[in-house]
Amino acid sequence: EKRPFFLEGADFFRTPFQAVFTRTISDPSAGLKLTGKEGRNAFGVFLAQDRVNNLLFPSNQGSGLDSEDQKVASGVFRYRRDIGGTSTLGAIYSAREADAYHNRLGGFDGKLQLSDSDTIRFQYLFTATDYPEQVALRNGQATRPIEGDAYTLRYNRGTRDWSIFARYEDIDPEFRADAGFIPRVDIKAAAAGVTRIFRGEPGSGFDQIRVSVSTDRMI
């Protein structure tokens, strides 16, 4: 993304899942964005009217693309509250609306800083989608309204000499995030890894050596 309108404040809309991906808005005719922070509370909202409706159809093995020559209205609302010094809780809602079509997403997320070394991140999302019948048939999608959810839980530990992570994700087959970019659904995935960092002493000939072991498994 290189468009200044979407780049400004983009970090605020980032969450563990890529629920907001502004490149889905390809040919906007109008837009409005507002972000702000008051004390521990922060919010952001943007609205856009697009001349083209770009659609992503994810599956377990990959995804398909289609574009409809129709006007589509998009909106995203994001709220986040700081908890303590470094923890946060947030909520997100997005919607894309056009003739005989809608995709609506809502959910919550958070970052819990358990210590200087340990962090937990999580997110839960729910979506409701309805495609025009001809679009659904052309792309092998259900002609009825569909609903699906997704959640992830991630743990990281980082110290001077060790880095450890663990992650789990579960995405329903009928989950759709049309305002974002989640190209695979119908998956349950777990991953974990550990890295040992060996630091060189003065005159040892190296700054640091990292030795890592990780695993990534579809369940």
Side-chain angles (χ1 to χ4, degrees), residues 44-88:
V45 59
F46 76 77
L47 308 172
Q49 181 78 34
D50 204 351
R51 298 181 180 90
V52 179
N53 189 9
N54 289 317
L55 297 170
L56 175 72
F57 302 100
S59 69
N60 179 269
Q61 298 299 318
S63 57
L65 298 170
D66 199 356
S67 292
E68 287 291 293
D69 186 16
Q70 64 175 172
K71 293 181 180 180
V72 57
S74 299
V76 176
F77 173 79
R78 170 74 169 147
Y79 170 78
R80 188 182 68 211
R81 179 172 175 82
D82 296 336
I83 308 295
T86 54
S87 298
T88 62

Side-chain angles (χ1 to χ4, degrees), residues 5-60:
F5 175 82
F6 295 111
L7 284 174
E8 185 177 352
D11 288 348
F12 181 71
F13 294 94
R14 291 197 179 104
T15 63
F17 285 118
Q18 195 169 6
V20 178
F21 183 59
T22 54
R23 291 306 305 172
T24 58
I25 304 171
S26 62
D27 190 15
S29 58
L32 173 68
K33 176 188 270 187
L34 180 65
T35 60
K37 186 171 184 179
E38 177 66 30
R40 294 180 175 271
N41 302 296
F43 72 93
V45 59
F46 76 77
L47 308 172
Q49 181 78 34
D50 204 351
R51 298 181 180 90
V52 179
N53 189 9
N54 289 317
L55 297 170
L56 175 72
F57 302 100
S59 69
N60 179 269

Side-chain angles (χ1 to χ4, degrees), residues 75-213:
V76 176
F77 173 79
R78 170 74 169 147
Y79 170 78
R80 188 182 68 211
R81 179 172 175 82
D82 296 336
I83 308 295
T86 54
S87 298
T88 62
L89 292 175
I92 191 167
Y93 176 79
S94 70
R96 287 170 60 84
E97 306 277 346
D99 290 341
Y101 160 80
H102 70 255
N103 174 254
R104 298 158 189 158
L105 173 149
F108 59 87
D109 61 276
K111 181 186 79 168
L112 305 178
Q113 193 73 43
L114 305 179
S115 69
D116 291 341
S117 304
D118 301 280
T119 305
I120 290 177
R121 288 180 169 85
F122 61 88
Q123 186 168 26
Y124 173 81
L125 297 172
F126 178 83
T127 62
T129 309
D130 194 9
Y131 298 115
E133 184 175 4
Q134 68 275 15
V135 173
L137 292 173
R138 187 168 65 240
N139 292 280
Q141 304 297 303
T143 55
R144 56 174 173 78
I146 59 175
E147 296 179 346
D149 62 0
Y151 62 88
T152 182
L153 180 65
R154 307 176 184 187
Y155 167 76
N156 288 89
R157 177 175 176 80
T159 65
R160 184 178 184 275
D161 297 325
W162 292 91
S163 177
I164 301 169
F165 80 91
R167 180 180 70 248
Y168 179 77
E169 292 183 356
D170 189 319
I171 307 178
D172 189 80
E174 295 188 340
F175 178 87
R176 302 288 185 268
D178 290 356
F181 184 71
I182 301 177
R184 291 189 68 189
V185 297
D186 189 19
I187 60 171
K188 295 178 174 63
V194 58
T195 299
R196 177 69 164 95
I197 306 169
F198 299 92
R199 302 183 183 276
E201 299 293 336
S204 63
F206 68 93
D207 180 49
Q208 62 178 242
I209 297 174
R210 293 173 174 259
V211 180
S212 299
V213 178

